Amino acid sequence: MYKILEPIKVGPMQLRNRVMYLAMAKYLSTPDNFITDRQIAYYANYAKNHVGLIVTGACITCPECPSKLPMQPGIYDDKFLPGMKKLVDAVHSHGSKFLFQPWHPGATPYGCDVSELKTVADYSLEEIKELQNAFLQAAIRAQKAGADGVEVHIAHNYLLEQFLTPLFNKRTDAYGAQNMENGLRFTTELIGMIKNACGAEFAVTTKINGNDFNPEGMTPERVAEAGPILEAAGADMISVSAGGSLTNILGMSADGRRAEGWKVPLAEAVKKSGVKIPVMATGSLRHPEYVEQVLAEGRCDMIGMGRGLLAEPEWVIKLEQGREREMHHCISCMHCMNFTSPGVSGCTVNPLALRESEGIILKEDGKGRKVAIAGGGPAGLEAAVTLAKRGFVPVIFEKKPEVGGVELIGSVPDGKSKLRWHIEYFRNEVERLGIQVHAGKEADCEELSALNPYAVFVCTGSNPVIPGSIPGIRLSNVKEVRDILADFPDDKGKQIVIVGAGLVGLECGVTYASRGNKVTIIDMLPPSDPNTTSTEQMLAVGHAMEAGIDIRMKHKLLEITQDAVKAENLENGACVSIPADEVVLSMGVSSNNCLYESIKNRFDRVYNIGDSNKTGLIAEAVQSAFDTAAALDCV
């Protein structure tokens, strides 16, 4: 038996296993902070799939604070109790324990200017007591709603951590950060207040940073010092995280550049401090075998998963049933950091993430009918797996020697290798479900007709946009980005110009730069607006800047020569010449819908999905494939 599946006692709570769903601030409440049925279905799904302990994302505790995360649950008024109770009851009905997380952003600005916010030095002693009382009343409401406890959030640069470290706290009184006892005073007093008011049967767990990537913030040494103080104050568990929007956002939720379990040493530092209460590790934990090793080595007592469970809510139950090879694993693509509208998946690899309230159940009514699938990229593979689970017999035609499509080449740039985990999932499922794959064979009407298929799914992807009117665009030193990624050159010391500052162009540029090349990226568009641009795009821009890449927005490609790129600066009309040993075109893609157009009237049921219908993200292709396959009617 896996140790991760063993029960564990956390204060008054007896957990059925050692897995906790970490707090993630999903935008599922109403604008005025009431819990919704969609939210209840979301959390209940984790409980149904045997996650031991579940905690909400940020619960609004002080609504008068100008900094607000929108559409989060409110815990500042009794009017929220009916919804809170309904949520708790739904989770308890499946045997999991449940915590609310009272939250205050402190000087972290959300939807406001930082000048509107107080620093910890600005609070009077009376105001500190008022803040503590607001947290206490939130905990009392959590208990009234039937919750098993609360998580006291001392991490991610929010209010309680701002009291904790010299990085944020410039006070000189007893609530200053001159030493760990004073820095934790707000928190330790609060823990005692909650324990006194709610009793021994109400759990108070803590979440603390082990690293802020700044010597004045939290460090592994500081968190080791904090552990025994929190235990003495009455904390029932310590969860160890890192980073935050004021120090390092990728320290809170890392992208693909971080190794699995990279925060485990921070939890280990607390464990080695001698605390007796459970210590929970976090940090891109994904695979059962890795988690099991961490526990076996005694580096922690529990593991916390946020995005890992968003990608695979059945992680625990699949482990219980010996179905590890059927697991999706989070690929750290950061797509889930974006706002998600109802009906749209919030995860690249899980087409049902945040859609739990839709109650989608696959009908097993395929009855062995054959479905031809043209294209073995993420859309074609998702369609095939979904159809096979329904009892259809999907047959994949993939013109390349192996399946994977754009996801294969997308896994090549630095920090993107985890995309292969998604491909590995598909390959495991193709093998398990006995799906027939014709690799190296491009589908055509004759091949498809020979199958006499019940339906045809066209998933032929996209083609690169290459404007032939640009002088020099066909020169030998000009490459298309997909060709580069299919066989990345071992170049060093070259001058590379990439045309196109989209996600792929930026990632390709960073990979070139990491190999010792000088990279310039040009694009006609203006710089990205952080308020309207996806998280993954903004992070890619940041990585490119850190790599020293010269990004020139509002620059229009005019001509390519054997040793330069000529472009127009659209701001001042000037023509610039950029030295280039090699030019990489990453100018976007267009739907490859030729097959669909040629066969759409030749078969009774023809569906065009993924990029061949509308170009977009892998997440969009996967969801369109799943939804189409799930809705295929049998008559």
Side-chain angles (χ1 to χ4, degrees):
M1 178 180 178
Y2 284 100
K3 187 174 181 64
I4 192 64
L5 298 178
E6 293 178 0
I8 187 171
K9 192 168 178 61
V10 176
M13 300 184 293
Q14 181 69 29
L15 306 183
R16 57 183 168 186
N17 55 55
R18 296 167 184 248
V19 180
M20 173 170 151
Y21 171 75
L22 293 170
M24 292 179 68
K26 312 312 290 182
Y27 303 94
L28 299 175
S29 299
T30 65
D32 50 356
N33 307 129
F34 285 91
I35 287 169
T36 62
D37 288 342
R38 183 183 176 208
Q39 200 162 24
I40 292 169
Y42 172 74
Y43 288 112
N45 188 52
Y46 293 121
K48 182 178 68 175
N49 285 296
H50 295 187
V51 174
L53 180 61
I54 296 166
V55 60
T56 62
C59 293
I60 308 300
T61 303
C62 297
E64 68 279 2
C65 179
S67 178
K68 292 180 173 66
L69 274 174
M71 300 176 70
Q72 305 304 320
I75 199 168
Y76 55 85
D77 193 285
D78 285 351
K79 66 185 179 182
F80 299 118
L81 282 171
M84 293 169 63
K85 187 176 189 309
K86 188 176 179 182
L87 171 55
V88 172
D89 289 347
V91 169
H92 282 170
S93 70
H94 296 291
S96 297
K97 301 298 183 182
F98 189 80
L99 309 175
F100 284 99
Q101 186 197 71
W103 174 84
H104 191 299
T108 304
Y110 290 106
C112 69
D113 190 270
V114 68
S115 62
E116 300 176 54
L117 302 173
K118 288 185 175 184
T119 68
V120 294
D122 296 325
Y123 290 107
S124 67
L125 292 177
E126 181 181 0
E127 287 174 322
I128 288 175
K129 297 304 178 186
E130 290 173 355
L131 286 169
Q132 288 176 322
N133 186 61
F135 276 89
L136 172 62
Q137 296 306 315
I140 291 172
R141 284 188 191 94
Q143 186 175 47
K144 287 180 179 178
D148 300 285
V150 290
E151 179 177 75
V152 176
H153 196 345
I154 330 167
H156 300 163
N157 311 157
Y158 297 134
L159 179 68
L160 272 63
E161 196 203 354
Q162 288 167 22
F163 272 95
L164 177 56
T165 69
L167 179 62
F168 303 112
N169 189 347
K170 308 305 178 184
R171 300 178 72 97
T172 58
D173 61 5
Y175 291 94
Q178 311 92 332
N179 53 58
M180 188 58 66
E181 287 79 6
N182 281 6
L184 279 172
R185 190 176 304 280
F186 185 109
T187 298
T188 55
E189 288 180 349
L190 175 59
I191 293 171
M193 292 164 65
I194 296 172
K195 287 287 186 178
N196 289 335
C198 298
E201 294 307 306
F202 189 74
V204 181
T205 70
T206 56
K207 181 176 187 176
I208 190 169
N209 271 8
N211 200 340
D212 279 324
F213 312 95
N214 184 303
E216 293 299 301
M218 288 301 290
T219 62
E221 294 75 22
R222 280 196 172 107
V223 79
E225 184 182 357
I229 297 173
L230 291 171
E231 181 178 41
D236 293 310
M237 180 179 73
I238 300 173
S239 170
V240 188
S241 189
S245 59
L246 297 180
T247 55
N248 186 327
I249 192 66
L250 290 177
M252 180 169 62
S253 299
D255 64 8
R257 286 166 172 75
R258 294 280 191 182
E260 180 169 9
W262 69 275
K263 294 182 191 177
V264 170
L266 307 179
E268 186 178 14
V270 177
K271 186 72 176 167
K272 287 181 176 179
S273 72
V275 297
K276 301 297 188 293
I277 57 175
V279 176
M280 185 170 70
T282 67
S284 304
L285 298 168
R286 305 287 185 256
H287 294 82
E289 57 272 22
Y290 176 81
V291 168
E292 196 66 10
Q293 178 184 345
V294 167
L295 288 169
E297 292 171 351
R299 303 172 74 186
C300 63
D301 305 290
M302 291 184 62
I303 64 119
M305 300 173 68
R307 294 177 296 166
L309 287 172
L310 185 75
E312 182 52 89
E314 296 182 50
W315 196 93
V316 174
I317 208 165
K318 285 182 176 178
L319 193 59
E320 291 172 344
Q321 297 171 354
R323 297 164 55 207
E324 295 92 329
R325 284 172 58 84
E326 297 176 41
M327 289 181 178
H328 288 104
H329 294 298
C330 169
I331 56 176
S332 300
C333 66
M334 310 304 282
H335 178 65
C336 61
M337 298 299 168
N338 301 309
F339 174 79
T340 303
S341 301
V344 178
S345 170
C347 174
T348 292
V349 304
N350 175 11
L352 291 176
L354 304 182
R355 302 176 65 198
E356 295 80 9
S357 61
E358 296 177 39
I360 297 174
I361 298 175
L362 294 180
K363 298 178 182 177
E364 297 182 18
D365 57 357
K367 300 179 181 178
R369 294 176 173 89
K370 285 188 177 179
V371 178
I373 298 176
L381 290 166
E382 180 65 42
V385 169
T386 305
L387 289 165
K389 289 177 179 178
R390 291 191 56 194
F392 290 95
V393 178
V395 180
I396 299 173
F397 294 88
E398 168 52 50
K399 66 179 181 180
K400 295 290 180 66
E402 58 180 331
V403 297
V406 294
E407 210 159 20
L408 268 179
I409 58 174
S411 68
V412 172
D414 292 351
K416 305 298 290 187
S417 62
K418 291 179 182 179
L419 281 173
R420 288 187 170 270
W421 292 351
H422 195 204
I423 301 168
E424 181 182 1
Y425 159 79
F426 281 131
R427 289 175 174 169
N428 288 342
E429 288 294 86
V430 164
E431 178 183 348
R432 182 179 72 88
L433 297 167
I435 296 171
Q436 187 176 354
V437 178
H438 294 289
K441 181 177 288 188
E442 187 171 6
D444 57 27
C445 189
E446 182 179 345
E447 293 276 5
L448 297 173
S449 297
L451 280 179
N452 189 26
Y454 178 75
V456 178
F457 281 49
V458 179
C459 314
T460 46
S462 59
N463 293 320
V465 172
I466 302 177
S469 60
I470 301 292
I473 205 160
R474 302 294 182 185
L475 288 172
S476 59
N477 63 326
V478 181
K479 308 293 183 183
E480 202 278 317
V481 69
R482 293 187 183 184
D483 294 333
I484 292 293
L485 293 176
D487 185 17
F488 207 94
D490 190 23
D491 290 336
K492 184 178 182 179
K494 287 190 174 182
Q495 299 186 98
I496 310 294
V497 176
I498 297 175
V499 184
L503 193 61
V504 177
L506 290 165
E507 291 170 347
C508 183
V510 169
T511 306
Y512 265 117
S514 71
R515 285 152 173 74
N517 298 286
K518 177 178 172 52
V519 181
T520 303
I521 299 179
I522 66 170
D523 199 296
M524 289 179 59
L525 295 175
S528 299
D529 178 357
N531 296 316
T532 58
T533 304
S534 69
T535 300
E536 50 266 54
Q537 175 73 16
M538 290 307 302
L539 290 173
V541 171
H543 287 311
M545 294 174 66
E546 290 171 7
I549 293 174
D550 181 6
I551 305 175
R552 303 189 191 186
M553 304 304 289
K554 291 189 174 181
H555 277 66
K556 178 182 178 181
L557 175 64
L558 298 177
E559 181 183 358
I560 303 173
T561 69
Q562 288 287 1
D563 57 8
V565 165
K566 295 181 180 180
E568 178 188 358
N569 184 328
L570 297 178
E571 287 193 321
N572 58 24
C575 181
V576 298
S577 180
I578 307 169
D581 298 310
E582 190 168 281
V583 180
V584 179
L585 303 179
S586 183
M587 303 176 73
V589 295
S590 61
S591 294
N592 178 15
N593 55 14
C594 295
L595 178 64
Y596 174 75
E597 291 298 328
S598 69
I599 68 168
K600 64 182 180 182
N601 297 318
R602 301 287 296 271
F603 301 92
D604 291 336
R605 301 169 190 84
V606 183
Y607 304 95
N608 193 22
I609 58 178
D611 275 2
S612 58
N613 177 44
K614 181 183 177 182
T615 60
L617 300 171
I618 294 173
E620 296 165 333
V622 167
Q623 183 176 338
S624 69
F626 174 87
D627 287 351
T628 306
L632 180 61
D633 287 331
C634 283
V635 293

